[in-house]
C-alpha cells in the first residue's frame, strides 16, 4: 500500500491496491478480536457502567451495535474454538465462515462423537479456505453432516429438532425490520400452512388478477397473521403491559384541522411519529392506526417529557410504564439499548424511604443497570428539564461530570 491518489494507479495497480487493503482489513479485524479476547480475561470495564464489551465499543466508536456484537461474538467463539480462531487469524478464512464453523463445532448433533466433531472441523475449515467457497456452501456442508448423523440420541430426527431453530428480527434502514430464520419441519409446516391461505392471490372484484409478487403476498400474509394474533389478545404480558404498538406524536401532528392546530400554539410539530420498536413512521400511517385502536393519551410538557401520573402504589401502573417508555425509550442509562419491556421501573428515592411512585421519581433501567444503581456509587437524578442525568463515581470520573440519560427522538 502507498499514499498515491486513486487516479494515479493503472488498472493492475488498482487491483493490487484493493487486494492489499483487503488483507490489511483482515489483519486489523484479527488484531481487534485478539484484543477483545484479552479484555475478557481482565476486568477492564469494572465500574464503568457498561453491561458488556460490545456496548462499550459501540459508545466509544461510530460502529453499530450489531457489528460490535459480531466482533465480541467472534472473540467468545474463538476462546472455545482456538483451532478455528487460528485459521481466521492466519487469513485462511474470513469472519463469517469462521463463525459458521465455530458455531457448528460448539453445537454439533448430540450423537456425534468428539473425534467426529474434530474431523468435521477439519473438513469444514478446508472447504471454507477455498476462494470459491461462500457461506452458502459452508452451510450446505454443515447440513449434510447433520443429515449424515441423522437422529438425535433421543431419536428425534434432525429435521424435527426444535433445538436447532433460529429466528432473527433486526432493524434496518428507514425503521424497516428484516426477518430470517430456520425452523424444524413441524413448526415450519405450521407456518407455511397458516401463510398459505393468507398469501393466496386475491383477484379484484372486476376480475383483474392479483399483481403482487409471491414474496409480497407472503409478506402481506405474515403481517395479517400478526394482526389477527394481536387482535385476539393472545399475547403475553411484558413489562407489565400487554403487547401493543406505542405511537408517539404531538397533538398538532395528529390532526389535519387548522382550527385545532391554532388552539395549540406552544406545541411544536415534529412532522413524523415514533414507534416503540421500529422508529419513525409517517403521520398518515400514525393517523390510520389511531382510527382502529385503543388510544392511551399521555400529556407532554414543553420539553416533550410526559407529565406526572402520580400513584400511591409501589409498582408503576400500566399508564405510567407507557409514559416512561415515551420519556426514556428503554433503559435510561447512557448508551444502553435494552427495550422498555425488559426494564424495571426504578425509584430514585426508594419506596421504603417514602419515595413517590410518579414520573419524576421513576426511570426505566435494565436488570444490569438497576442492580448497579443499587449496589455501586453511581447516582441519577432528573433535572429541571425533567430528563435523567447520571453521575459516575469518583473512581470512574474524579470530576463526576453528569451524562445525559437516553431519550427517544420525541423527548429530545
Amino acid at each position: 500500500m502507498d499514499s498515491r491518489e486513486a487516479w494515479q494507479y493503472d488498472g493492475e495497480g488498482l487491483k493490487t491496491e484493493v487486494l492489499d487493503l483487503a488483507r490489511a482489513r483482515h489483519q486489523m479485524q484479527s488484531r481487534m478480536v485478539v484484543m477483545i479476547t484479552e479484555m475478557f480475561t481482565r476486568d477492564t470495564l469494572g465500574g464503568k457502567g457498561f453491561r458488556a464489551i460490545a456496548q462499550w465499543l459501540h459508545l466509544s466508536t461510530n460502529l453499530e451495535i450489531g457489528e460490535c456484537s459480531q466482533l465480541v461474538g467472534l472473540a467468545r467463539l474463538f476462546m472455545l474454538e482456538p483451532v478455528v480462531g487460528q485459521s481466521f487469524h492466519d487469513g485462511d478464512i474470513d469472519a463469517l465462515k469462521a463463525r459458521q464453523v465455530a458455531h457448528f463445532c460448539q453445537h454439533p448433533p448430540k450423537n456425534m462423537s468428539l473425534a467426529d466433531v474434530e474431523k468435521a472441523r477439519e473438513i469444514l475449515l478446508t472447504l471454507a479456505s477455498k476462494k470459491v467457497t461462500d457461506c452458502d456452501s459452508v452451510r450446505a456442508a454443515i447440513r449434510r453432516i447433520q443429515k449424515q448423523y441423522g437422529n438425535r440420541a433421543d431419536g428425534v430426527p434432525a429435521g424435527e429438532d426444535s433445538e436447532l431453530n433460529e429466528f432473527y428480527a433486526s432493524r434496518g434502514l428507514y425503521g424497516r425490520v428484516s426477518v430470517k430464520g430456520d425452523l424444524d419441519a413441524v413448526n415450519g409446516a405450521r407456518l407455511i400452512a397458516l401463510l398459505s391461505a393468507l398469501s393466496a392471490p386475491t383477484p379484484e372484484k372486476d376480475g383483474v388478477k392479483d399483481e403482487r409478487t409471491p414474496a409480497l403476498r407472503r409478506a402481506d400474509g405474515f403481517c395479517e397473521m400478526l394482526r389477527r394474533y394481536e387482535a385476539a389478545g393472545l399475547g403475553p404480558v411484558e413489562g407489565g403491559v400487554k403487547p401493543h404498538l406505542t405511537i408517539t406524536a404531538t397533538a398538532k401532528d395528529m390532526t389535519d384541522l387548522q382550527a385545532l392546530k391554532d388552539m395549540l400554539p406552544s406545541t411544536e410539530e415534529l412532522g413524523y411519529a415514533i414507534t416503540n420498536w421500529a422508529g419513525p413512521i409517517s403521520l398518515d400511517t400514525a393517523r390510520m392506526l389511531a382510527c382502529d385502536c385503543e388510544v392511551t393519551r399521555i400529556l407532554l410538557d414543553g420539553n416533550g417529557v410526559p407529565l406526572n401520573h402520580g400513584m400511591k402504589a409501589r409498582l408503576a401502573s400500566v399508564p405510567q410504564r407507557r409514559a416512561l417508555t415515551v420519556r426514556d425509550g428503554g433503559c435510561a442509562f447512557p448508551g444502553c439499548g435494552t427495550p422498555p419491556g425488559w426494564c424495571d421501573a426504578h425509584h430514585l428515592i426508594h419506596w421504603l424511604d417514602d419515595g413517590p411512585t410518579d414520573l419524576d421519581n421513576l426511570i426505566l433501567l435494565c436488570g444490569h443497570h438497576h442492580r448497579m444503581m443499587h449496589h455501586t456509587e453511581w447516582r441519577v437524578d432528573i433535572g429541571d428539564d425533567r430528563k435523567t442525568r447520571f453521575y459516575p463515581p469518583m473512581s470512574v470520573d474524579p470530576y463526576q461530570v453528569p451524562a445525559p440519560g437516553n431519550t427517544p427522538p420525541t423527548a429530545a
Side-chain angles (χ1 to χ4, degrees):
M1 294 182 292
D2 58 42
S3 59
R4 286 183 293 168
E5 297 291 337
W7 63 267
Q8 294 176 297
Y9 290 89
D10 60 17
E12 289 301 317
L14 283 171
K15 290 189 289 185
T16 299
E17 180 70 4
V18 168
L19 292 177
D20 287 344
L21 288 170
R23 283 188 288 270
R25 176 181 178 274
H26 183 92
Q27 290 169 1
M28 292 296 293
Q29 190 179 38
S30 171
R31 178 73 172 167
M32 185 177 290
V33 170
V34 169
M35 294 297 106
I36 291 173
T37 302
E38 184 66 19
M39 290 181 70
F40 279 121
T41 66
R42 311 184 195 182
D43 188 21
T44 54
L45 300 180
K48 304 295 184 182
F50 297 104
R51 189 177 66 247
I53 294 176
Q55 183 193 44
W56 163 79
L57 184 59
H58 169 57
L59 288 177
S60 304
T61 66
N62 64 350
L63 295 176
E64 282 295 313
I65 186 65
E67 185 173 356
C68 297
S69 297
Q70 288 179 356
L71 287 168
V72 173
L74 269 184
R76 288 185 181 277
L77 277 174
F78 292 165
M79 291 172 69
L80 300 171
E81 289 290 330
V83 175
V84 179
Q86 191 59 52
S87 184
F88 167 76
H89 293 308
D90 290 343
D92 296 331
I93 58 176
D94 66 11
L96 294 178
K97 289 190 277 291
R99 183 180 294 109
Q100 285 180 298
V101 176
H103 185 270
F104 168 78
C105 293
Q106 283 297 302
H107 303 87
K110 288 184 169 55
N111 58 339
M112 197 174 188
S113 68
L114 181 60
D116 287 339
V117 172
E118 292 178 352
K119 183 178 179 180
R121 181 190 297 112
E122 182 181 349
I123 293 173
L124 291 172
L125 287 176
T126 300
L127 172 65
S129 65
K130 296 179 180 179
K131 288 184 171 59
V132 295
T133 301
D134 57 16
C135 288
D136 288 339
S137 300
V138 175
R139 187 177 297 110
I142 290 174
R143 293 296 188 217
R144 287 196 297 271
I145 294 173
Q146 291 173 330
K147 184 176 181 180
Q148 177 182 345
Y149 282 85
N151 300 350
R152 272 186 349 201
D154 56 5
V156 176
E160 300 174 16
D161 188 355
S162 61
E163 294 180 8
L164 299 176
N165 288 357
E166 294 179 328
F167 185 84
Y168 303 95
S170 56
R171 284 187 290 185
L173 294 175
Y174 316 115
R176 297 184 66 84
V177 175
S178 297
V179 177
K180 64 178 181 179
D182 178 30
L183 302 178
D184 61 89
V186 175
N187 285 298
R190 179 180 291 129
L191 175 63
I192 292 173
L194 289 172
L195 285 178
S196 178
L198 295 175
S199 59
T202 307
E204 299 291 341
K205 292 182 179 180
D206 58 3
V208 176
K209 71 175 185 178
D210 192 337
E211 297 290 347
R212 295 176 299 165
T213 64
L216 178 55
R217 294 202 311 270
R218 286 191 295 272
D220 289 344
F222 185 75
C223 294
E224 175 63 14
M225 188 167 60
L226 295 178
R227 189 196 67 78
R228 294 188 184 190
Y229 176 80
E230 186 179 50
L234 300 176
V237 172
E238 181 182 64
V241 182
K242 279 271 193 179
H244 65 286
L245 186 63
T246 299
I247 307 294
T248 305
T250 69
K252 270 191 175 181
D253 280 326
M254 289 299 285
T255 180
D256 285 323
L257 299 178
Q258 188 59 45
L260 288 178
K261 290 180 184 289
D262 293 340
M263 291 175 62
L264 305 165
S266 62
T267 304
E268 293 186 6
E269 291 184 85
L270 298 171
Y272 58 89
I274 294 290
T275 62
N276 51 345
W277 280 97
I281 60 173
S282 68
L283 292 177
D284 287 340
T285 297
R287 290 171 186 143
M288 178 193 71
L289 293 172
C291 290
D292 186 27
C293 68
E294 190 175 294
V295 177
T296 299
R297 293 174 176 82
I298 299 175
L299 298 179
L300 306 181
D301 65 12
N303 295 310
V305 178
L307 298 173
N308 277 347
H309 291 254
M311 296 287 289
K312 297 297 184 183
R314 180 176 68 87
L315 299 178
S317 66
V318 170
Q320 283 180 313
R321 285 196 65 97
R322 289 176 176 168
L324 286 170
T325 297
V326 172
R327 189 192 69 190
D328 298 340
C331 179
F333 193 88
C336 184
T338 302
W342 299 353
C343 292
D344 304 322
H346 167 70
H347 288 72
L348 302 184
I349 301 174
H350 199 275
W351 170 258
L352 295 179
D353 296 327
D354 295 326
T357 304
D358 61 40
L359 291 189
D360 283 340
N361 193 48
L362 293 173
I363 60 170
L364 289 181
L365 291 175
C366 67
H368 170 80
H369 288 120
H370 197 177
R371 290 188 294 273
M372 189 184 74
M373 298 307 299
H374 277 284
H375 300 297
T376 69
E377 295 180 356
W378 276 87
R379 295 184 297 108
V380 60
D381 66 18
I382 296 180
D384 294 337
D385 59 358
R386 303 187 62 242
K387 296 178 184 177
T388 54
R389 298 177 300 189
F390 288 80
Y391 298 83
M394 293 186 67
S395 59
V396 175
D397 179 5
Y399 301 100
Q400 295 188 296
V401 177
N406 290 333
T407 53
T410 51

